[in-house]
Amino acid sequence: DHTRRLFDAASKVNIDIPYSIEDLNQIQKDTLKQNKLEEAYIRPIVFFGSEELGLRASDLSVNVAVACWEWPSYMDPEKKKNGISIVTSPYKQYENPLYSNNKIVGTYVNSIMALHDALARGSDEALLMDIKGNISEGSGENLFIVKNGDIFTPTTENCLNGITRQSIIKIASDLNLKVKELNLQYEDLLNADEAFFTGTAVEVTPISKVDDRVIGSGKIGSTTQKLQSIFEDIVSAKNNQYKDWLYQI
Ligand code: PMP
């Protein structure tokens, strides 16, 4: 799914990747193996060569690099158990018909600005709103809330349709929990019983505070805990139900 997403994003900006999806999957497996990593983050990246500079540059080579490294926890492990604090960002997640819902490096300047602003204000993550003032997402995460046992998450009109987001929607539905995609307001987050972020790096991370206001009990909620634990079991090959999500190396 991640590799397919990379190919989709490249085609959105007219980059023709000189490998097949299968080749690039194999290259990622080989990179992990050759670096003797048992648990790691993999970051394939596609970029133009610098044969010519300038906006009119054409016929540039297309290069692919695969980096992988040990990344035990994107967030402080203690906070992953108990909850992170987030702040509303002054940076907005604007819809751009060309880039929206694609992982394209240039658009990440906005996410980096938002995250650095949040960190400078003593928080753990940023909460980005969309152009209409609805909740969009974190700088590198999708957001979910839980209210009276039901789960809500913003539509993908103005946020990335994260692969972890899709996985959590599937797991929650399989648990017969109600999941609804809709426009979420800031007040919905403030009044939620639980809130959490999802992402390949953060997996499922509870949010305990937004702009210094406590969400729910201020601790990880039972629904978040259940989804976090099932997701952790799935990605560490301890859950058979979703084993087709894994890629054998
Ligand atoms: N939103 C943004 C802006 C992201 O960068 C990410 C991280 N890829 C996500 C959401 C979560 O997506 P995924 O679950 O596919 O990692």
Side-chain angles (χ1 to χ4, degrees):
D1 290 339
H2 288 83
T3 307
R4 206 169 304 120
R5 172 163 75 187
L6 181 66
F7 276 76
D8 289 346
S11 89
K12 206 75 191 258
V13 286
N14 303 324
I15 297 180
D16 199 7
I17 301 179
Y19 297 99
S20 65
I21 293 187
E22 295 71 36
D23 284 345
L24 193 45
N25 276 338
Q26 188 61 45
I27 291 165
Q28 291 174 87
K29 275 164 97 170
D30 292 347
T31 312
L32 265 185
K33 244 188 185 163
Q34 285 173 22
N35 285 283
K36 300 190 172 52
L37 291 165
E38 287 205 351
E39 199 175 329
Y41 187 88
I42 314 171
R43 171 74 56 85
I45 190 160
V46 177
F47 56 100
F48 279 128
S50 53
E51 292 86 0
E52 247 192 275
L53 298 175
L55 301 190
R56 281 169 209 270
S58 55
D59 299 324
L60 300 177
S61 60
V62 175
N63 301 277
V64 180
V66 176
C68 56
W69 65 94
E70 264 178 39
W71 201 357
S73 186
Y74 183 77
M75 293 283 179
D76 173 348
E78 199 51 45
K79 288 186 179 169
K80 195 171 171 194
K81 289 281 157 240
N82 297 316
I84 57 165
S85 70
I86 63 174
V87 283
T88 309
S89 181
Y91 299 92
K92 302 267 179 289
Q93 201 69 310
Y94 287 125
E95 208 218 331
N96 177 326
L98 179 60
Y99 304 127
S100 169
N101 217 340
N102 284 286
K103 282 177 76 79
I104 293 172
V105 172
T107 61
Y108 274 85
V109 174
N110 196 58
S111 273
I112 293 167
M113 295 299 287
L115 177 58
H116 286 199
D117 167 79
L119 296 175
R121 291 198 273 148
S123 185
D124 299 308
E125 251 301 348
L127 171 70
L128 284 83
M129 313 305 275
D130 70 18
I131 196 163
K132 297 188 195 111
N134 299 317
I135 290 177
S136 170
E137 57 186 339
S139 69
E141 304 88 4
N142 290 112
L143 183 137
F144 287 77
I145 65 169
V146 182
K147 185 77 186 172
N148 300 326
D150 295 339
I151 300 177
F152 303 91
T153 193
T155 68
T156 52
E157 210 181 314
N158 277 313
C159 70
L160 187 76
N161 189 9
I163 290 165
T164 320
R165 174 186 186 278
Q166 297 169 48
S167 308
I168 288 300
I169 291 175
K170 168 83 176 113
I171 297 166
S173 310
D174 290 348
L175 290 170
N176 290 324
L177 296 170
K178 255 201 230 135
V179 187
K180 207 158 180 222
E181 299 178 58
L182 76 181
N183 287 331
L184 275 184
Q185 316 289 318
Y186 182 68
E187 288 67 31
D188 297 326
L189 174 59
L190 281 185
N191 296 323
D193 299 329
E194 304 175 31
F196 60 91
F197 271 146
T198 64
T200 305
V202 299
E203 301 184 332
V204 175
T205 293
I207 303 169
S208 52
K209 262 190 198 168
V210 54
D211 298 321
D212 277 332
R213 295 172 68 171
V214 173
I215 300 173
S217 67
K219 298 202 179 80
I220 187 167
S222 58
T223 303
T224 309
Q225 191 148 39
K226 188 181 244 173
L227 293 168
Q228 185 187 62
S229 144
I230 294 174
F231 190 80
E232 276 175 14
D233 281 351
I234 294 171
V235 294
S236 51
K238 290 185 197 128
N239 180 316
N240 269 337
Q241 194 180 344
Y242 302 93
K243 68 174 188 302
D244 60 323
W245 289 359
L246 302 184
Y247 200 74
Q248 188 107 28
I249 296 183

